[in-house]
Amino acid sequence: MAVDADLDVVIVGAGFSGLYLLKRMRDLGMSTRVLEAADDVGGTWYWNRYPGARCDIPTTDYTLSFDPALETEWTWSEKYATQPEILRYAQFIATKYDLYSGIDFVTRAEQATWDEAAKRWHVRTDRGETITCRNYVMATGCLSLPKVPDIEGHDRFSGEVYFTSRWPHEGVDLTGKRVAVIGTGSSAIQSIPLMAAQADKLTVFQRTPNFSIPAYNGAADQERLAQIAADAAVYRAEAKLSRGGVPGEATLLAARALTDDERRARFEEVWAIGGLEMLGVFNDILVSEEANELLCELIREKIRSIVHDPVTAEALCPKDHPFGTKRPCVDTNYYATFNLPHVRLVDLRTDPITTITETGIETGTEADGETFEFDAIVFATGFDAMTGALVGVDITGRDGHTLKEQWAHGPATYLGLTTVGFPNFFTITGPGSPSVLSNMAVSIEQHVDWVTDAIAHLRDVGGAGAGTDGWATIEPTETAQTAWGVHVNDCANITLYPIANSWYMGANVPGKPRMFLPYVGGVGPYRVICDEVVDKGWLGFRIEATHSSQCNDGVIREIMPDVGMVLEMMATLELPLVESMSPEEAREFMSASSAMRPPGPAVGEIVDGTFPAGDGTPLTYRLYRPATDGPHPVVVYFHGGGWVLGDHESDDPFCRDLCVRSNAIIVSADYRHAPEARFPVAVHDGMAALTWVAEHATDLGGIPGQVAVAGWSAGANIAAVTAHLARDAGGPAISGQLLLTPVTDLSTDSASYIENGEGYVLTASLMHWFTDHYIDPADRTSPLASPLLAADLANLPPATIITCQFDPLRDEGTAYAHALAEAGNEVHHISARGHTHTSLTMVDIIISGVSYREQMGAALRSFFDRASTSAAVGA
Ligand SMILES: Cc1cc2nc3c(=O)[nH]c(=O)nc-3n(C[C@H](O)[C@H](O)[C@H](O)COP(=O)(O)OP(=O)(O)OC[C@H]3O[C@@H](n4cnc5c(N)ncnc54)[C@H](O)[C@@H]3O)c2cc1C
């Protein structure tokens, strides 16, 4: 075997990732070797030869697309091709592009060490060679390291032992044998029906039931084939920008919004298609536990209708995780197999395995145990997913730090591609990338293309080939990597994924840190991010060459993912600018937009009424009463809308939400609008509302003396100023003030106006439009317009102030919180990371806003708790 001593690139792994990367590297003239532990290509499809092994993404889509010739030269025989066929496909690719010659088979990478002086990796193999290279790529797969079974006595059995992930190449004949299968994940679910067809007795030991959807395998989908034949490039481009790597429109149907019959009809339709389509049956199943449970029950009904024995059926019904939060399985006759007389399910939740013996398996307790005798045990116990193969190699980066110790508390990567401290080290489909949540053929190609561009860039900026030693090094910055980890978590946390004890969370391997490993933000958005990193001059990377050095430190995504999605959607609507409208038109536009919002939670009662302004003019309010027994404390709420737009019902969903969370009555009070009624009319209307509510608290079902003010944006400005006026007038007493993204200073020149003046719904120009309608320039420094500028900020009610990172008003809200605190008031400042001026009020749209609305509810409750305590002390 010829091994170059000094290569441009070493790749570990000859699955689809390693094969395609080798091709790309060779095309660029890079000297490259691939190290592969197996004796052939194929990776996953080389190792996993158990009966029934096949893909669960339609194979028309589980296809590499880098060469248009592949579309015509290879045809899949089935909708979900079998392992032998996919392995042949990998071999076909390796042969077609002459890749075999670049691969060292039966060669395991054992150690890789970065040599800072030489700017090279030294890679040691189990054959004793050390290969030196500029760039080191782990294309070792997310599901390639089988998990060692964590069962007492697992190595004691003296009969035949098989692992689904290391199935003998010559096949296994189970005819006439008593067979145990341990595990009920995807591999078990695929293989159990086929093993049952051979075995004399089959006993399945199940720790956790998984959801499985029928595959309805057959000929490749004609519709998809026709689309690909019509224009493969368009089809593949759509896949690349899709959420999961397979083209298709996302459904607009929400499980919660449908009637039982409608929901069932849609479910039946998707069940009849089969497979992972079920993940897209409704658009709310991965974000709402309630929606998910509706779907789970429909699937459980199917299981109960297939499996005759009710105890077995119930044991097969998953109840400990929402559907989709563990990878759903796709099967052929899995559940029906349990109707066969020689197949038995042992539920390990009631009868745990105590030990594996020389001849079989013992379960239960000493008093009530059972002993099983077997000829063969099949372990279908899964993988040490996503990180196992990476830390399985002893990789040492800069300053002697190993990947294993650096990732001891969980992997940290930038984009799932690179990691701090490990220059010129790349991972294909690493943790923090969409990987196992996607059609991996698409994700693999995208990663390989990105890594190829990076390596080419290192050669180019280093000046290699231009007579110098050349080659640059690349490494992510701490800032970029940390922020990527935060973004990956933000994405996961708006879904139900983290609820499940899944291998996505590392929960299947004892001692493995629990964190959500893949990037849930979607294949398309992820691709956009990776491209943007490059377009922005390799944002978040330090690139060093002999004669140049660049550190473009920064963060690629800070906005909350759901907020970002709403902004993107709004951008596609190309909505007219509010400031280009007349106030009348703007009001109509706003109420039309409001009509499309989800309604918010149910409250006990909603009552509309009027109260008199200072000059007797009747103004409208809307009262939201909690469903709990009263009387309740009362919050006088002032809506947002820049003193020009909105009314007592315009913040309806938000007011309902506040009502439920605070268990207080919310009185959303109107105030007269500019430009018809300019400053200070609205301020005095605010004071009139507070005074009237305080006087009528009992009539409204409230607790006298327990009245707070709250508001959003311009409404928060009214609330804040009302607190000043009430203090100066000696009442009414205010228990607290809740100010969400308040206007506190009309000078509009803070840094946040510049940073966030465009692109986040409330723009600087819209704010100027509002302000110009509301108030004359000469009055803008009045404390009744800009409470931050008030000479006296002492003796104001306790305040909770919420500011948002991407809000032009952020800095003035922050300044007001500081000023109130300096003046001796109690202040709680909540800074909402990744949010905009409008996002926290978007109830049932922006999930990442929930925790902040919880805090707002808690703030109101604490105002009143304090008020009632001090009243009691006073009494
Ligand atoms: C049973 C099963 C079914 C799957 N079905 C689907 C599906 O339907 N759709 C889908 O998108 N994905 C599926 N996957 C995921 C699948 O792993 C990927 O789609 C894809 O095949 C991964 O390719 P890869 O080249 O990145 O990694 P792998 O195919 O895992 O290849 C990695 C290679 O690296 C080698 N290797 C690892 N460590 C070392 C080392 N230290 N030294 C030398 N060699 C090493 C391994 O031997 C292996 O050959 C499935 C996975 C499994 C296990």
Side-chain angles (χ1 to χ4, degrees):
M1 180 191 52
V3 174
D4 290 338
D6 192 6
L7 300 172
D8 293 335
V9 187
V10 164
I11 301 164
V12 186
F16 288 125
S17 302
L19 290 177
Y20 178 42
L21 187 57
L22 173 61
K23 175 175 182 338
R24 293 288 328 258
M25 292 295 104
R26 280 188 171 170
D27 289 349
L28 287 175
M30 308 269 182
S31 56
T32 309
R33 297 295 300 177
V34 177
L35 310 178
E36 169 54 61
D39 64 9
D40 200 349
V41 299
T44 291
W45 307 105
Y46 170 92
W47 294 108
N48 291 268
R49 299 174 187 237
Y50 58 84
R54 41 176 98 235
C55 60
D56 56 14
I57 301 266
T59 344
T60 39
D61 296 278
Y62 188 63
T63 295
L64 297 182
S65 66
F66 61 85
D67 182 354
L70 283 174
E71 303 279 4
T72 49
E73 290 177 21
W74 184 268
T75 315
W76 294 105
S77 68
E78 283 181 286
K79 181 175 168 191
Y80 301 109
T82 56
Q83 169 272 326
E85 188 171 353
I86 306 175
L87 177 59
R88 282 200 300 279
Y89 178 64
Q91 290 163 336
F92 160 75
I93 288 174
T95 307
K96 178 172 168 62
Y97 302 102
D98 184 27
L99 302 176
Y100 276 106
S101 58
I103 305 168
D104 296 338
F105 290 108
V106 199
T107 305
R108 180 168 287 282
E110 285 191 330
Q111 198 181 59
T113 308
W114 174 248
D115 179 341
E116 181 66 27
K119 306 280 187 218
R120 281 166 172 80
W121 285 95
H122 302 298
V123 182
R124 211 191 66 208
T125 75
D126 62 352
R127 295 180 162 217
E129 315 99 337
T130 297
I131 309 170
T132 296
C133 57
R134 306 275 189 175
N135 302 284
Y136 176 58
V137 188
M138 291 288 273
T140 41
C142 299
L143 299 169
S144 59
L145 187 71
K147 195 192 108 180
V148 179
D150 51 333
I151 303 168
E152 158 73 20
H154 68 87
D155 49 1
R156 204 184 299 156
F157 186 64
S158 60
E160 299 166 35
V161 174
Y162 304 105
F163 288 80
T164 48
S165 54
R166 291 292 179 267
W167 203 255
H169 290 199
E170 61 283 8
V172 178
D173 185 5
L174 296 173
T175 309
K177 292 184 178 151
R178 297 163 302 165
V179 180
V181 180
I182 300 179
T184 49
S186 183
S187 304
I189 283 178
Q190 286 185 333
S191 56
I192 281 169
L194 292 165
M195 291 196 253
Q198 285 190 340
D200 186 40
K201 260 187 166 184
L202 187 80
T203 311
V204 177
F205 292 85
Q206 170 189 271
R207 185 143 48 180
T208 320
N210 278 298
F211 289 101
S212 189
I213 311 295
Y216 302 123
N217 201 13
D221 186 321
Q222 291 307 310
E223 205 182 307
R224 277 174 205 257
L225 286 178
Q227 279 175 282
I228 295 167
D231 196 336
V234 167
Y235 187 85
R236 301 296 175 203
E238 202 184 316
K240 287 174 184 174
L241 291 175
S242 67
R243 286 206 83 73
V246 178
E249 293 281 312
T251 182
L252 296 175
L253 298 175
R256 283 173 301 170
L258 300 178
T259 65
D260 286 352
D261 287 349
E262 288 167 341
R263 196 180 310 114
R264 187 177 292 275
R266 163 78 181 158
F267 168 74
E268 291 291 351
E269 204 180 296
V270 177
W271 183 269
I273 298 168
L276 296 179
E277 296 268 342
M278 192 56 78
L279 285 168
V281 58
F282 304 116
N283 67 8
D284 51 353
I285 59 160
L286 285 174
V287 292
S288 156
E289 285 189 70
E290 187 196 337
N292 196 291
E293 180 53 26
L294 290 168
L295 172 62
C296 288
E297 204 38 42
L298 289 167
I299 302 175
R300 289 184 204 120
E301 272 180 31
K302 288 284 182 197
I303 299 171
R304 291 177 190 124
S305 73
I306 299 169
V307 180
H308 301 159
D309 173 39
V311 177
T312 305
E314 222 39 50
L316 286 166
C317 283
K319 290 179 192 137
D320 74 337
H321 65 278
F323 175 78
T325 55
K326 288 186 173 189
R327 190 175 177 94
C329 306
V330 177
D331 71 277
T332 303
N333 294 331
Y334 173 63
Y335 292 118
T337 300
F338 290 93
N339 293 332
L340 297 172
H342 67 293
V343 177
R344 177 177 166 193
L345 182 75
V346 177
D347 186 349
L348 298 181
R349 290 167 302 180
T350 48
D351 293 301
I353 294 180
T354 45
T355 187
I356 297 179
T357 64
E358 283 73 16
T359 54
I361 294 176
E362 289 178 6
T363 63
T365 58
E366 233 171 79
D368 184 16
E370 196 171 352
T371 302
F372 299 81
E373 301 278 308
F374 294 112
D375 302 309
I377 296 182
V378 176
F379 287 98
T381 37
F383 299 91
D384 183 348
M386 298 207 66
T387 54
L390 296 173
V391 296
V393 176
D394 180 13
I395 302 175
T396 306
R398 260 193 306 101
D399 306 325
H401 294 300
T402 68
L403 193 68
K404 199 169 182 172
E405 69 189 20
Q406 202 139 306
W407 287 8
H409 302 294
T413 71
Y414 183 36
L415 306 171
L417 280 158
T418 58
T419 187
V420 170
F422 297 80
N424 294 21
F425 170 68
F426 304 93
T427 49
I428 305 297
T429 65
S433 75
S435 56
V436 290
L437 293 179
S438 66
N439 172 2
M440 288 198 56
V442 171
S443 291
I444 285 170
E445 282 194 309
Q446 185 254 336
H447 261 200
V448 167
D449 289 340
W450 193 95
V451 169
T452 303
D453 290 348
I455 292 178
H457 183 68
L458 298 180
R459 185 175 66 177
D460 294 348
V461 294
T468 71
D469 185 36
W471 284 93
T473 59
I474 190 168
E475 191 187 329
T477 67
E478 280 283 358
T479 317
Q481 177 166 291
T482 304
W484 183 250
V486 169
H487 177 63
V488 170
N489 280 334
D490 286 344
C491 290
N493 288 340
I494 58 172
T495 72
L496 303 180
Y497 279 108
I499 294 179
N501 282 329
S502 62
W503 55 260
Y504 296 145
M505 291 287 290
N508 65 327
V509 179
K512 190 165 172 171
R514 297 280 170 103
M515 64 185 278
F516 194 71
L517 296 168
Y519 177 68
V520 77
V523 165
Y526 174 78
R527 174 183 293 269
V528 169
I529 288 171
C530 290
D531 291 349
E532 210 176 299
V533 162
V534 178
D535 293 345
K536 289 187 168 162
W538 300 92
L539 182 66
F541 283 106
R542 181 178 294 110
I543 297 179
E544 286 175 358
T546 317
H547 303 296
S548 67
S549 157
Q550 166 204 319
C551 179
N552 189 5
D553 203 3
V555 174
I556 188 68
R557 278 291 177 278
E558 286 188 281
I559 197 105
M560 277 292 158
D562 45 359
V563 178
M565 266 168 0
V566 169
L567 290 177
E568 275 169 33
M569 197 193 67
M570 288 175 77
T572 61
L573 296 176
E574 295 183 7
L575 300 170
L577 293 178
V578 170
E579 56 270 40
S580 68
M581 303 178 193
S582 70
E584 262 318 310
E585 288 167 342
R587 285 168 196 155
E588 272 171 35
F589 175 75
M590 185 170 159
S591 34
S593 316
S594 298
M596 294 189 294
R597 298 171 304 188
V603 296
E605 187 187 22
I606 293 181
V607 184
D608 286 346
T610 59
F611 67 94
D615 61 3
T617 305
L619 295 173
T620 310
Y621 70 81
R622 173 164 285 187
L623 180 148
Y624 301 82
R625 192 185 312 287
T628 53
D629 289 341
H632 300 96
V634 188
V635 178
V636 184
Y637 175 83
F638 301 107
H639 64 81
W643 308 279
V644 178
L645 313 176
D647 57 28
H648 58 281
E649 57 183 321
S650 60
D651 292 352
D652 208 74
F654 181 53
C655 287
R656 286 164 177 266
D657 196 80
L658 266 189
C659 173
V660 171
R661 291 183 195 281
S662 63
N663 197 33
I665 292 171
I666 308 290
V667 177
S668 174
D670 268 359
Y671 50 93
R672 278 168 285 183
H673 283 159
E676 295 85 348
R678 284 166 66 85
F679 174 83
V681 175
V683 170
H684 294 305
D685 288 350
M687 185 61 185
L690 170 69
T691 308
W692 184 84
V693 168
E695 283 169 3
H696 294 83
T698 310
D699 308 338
L700 295 171
I703 304 170
Q706 291 207 18
V707 178
V709 292
W712 169 38
S713 188
N717 170 271
I718 307 275
V721 171
T722 301
H724 289 220
L725 290 174
R727 175 200 59 187
D728 296 345
I734 298 177
S735 306
Q737 45 179 332
L738 175 72
L739 309 179
L740 172 59
T741 58
V743 183
T744 68
D745 178 359
L746 290 181
S747 44
T748 68
D749 57 0
S750 62
S752 57
Y753 256 89
I754 297 157
E755 276 172 42
N756 306 318
E758 265 183 58
Y760 301 109
V761 186
L762 179 70
T763 59
S765 78
L766 178 57
M767 211 41 219
H768 291 140
W769 184 82
F770 283 141
T771 311
D772 290 344
H773 279 304
Y774 178 51
I775 188 167
D776 291 339
D779 291 333
R780 291 181 190 177
T781 52
S782 159
L784 297 187
S786 296
L788 178 63
L789 306 182
D792 180 10
L793 287 173
N795 301 316
L796 287 166
T800 292
I801 298 178
I802 302 98
T803 56
C804 291
Q805 185 180 1
F806 294 103
D807 181 4
L809 308 185
R810 179 195 66 206
D811 291 352
E812 63 196 79
T814 305
Y816 195 54
H818 290 157
L820 288 186
E822 259 172 41
N825 302 291
E826 270 181 55
V827 182
H828 179 34
H829 177 207
I830 300 167
S831 171
R833 181 176 59 76
H835 279 276
T836 63
H837 187 74
T838 51
S839 57
L840 294 183
T841 62
M842 299 175 92
V843 176
D844 287 336
I845 299 175
I846 301 293
I847 295 168
S848 59
V850 169
S851 64
Y852 292 105
R853 288 198 298 278
E854 263 168 20
Q855 292 182 62
M856 290 186 233
L860 289 172
R861 288 198 309 274
S862 82
F863 292 155
F864 298 126
D865 285 349
R866 221 167 335 176
S868 60
T869 311
S870 53
V873 170

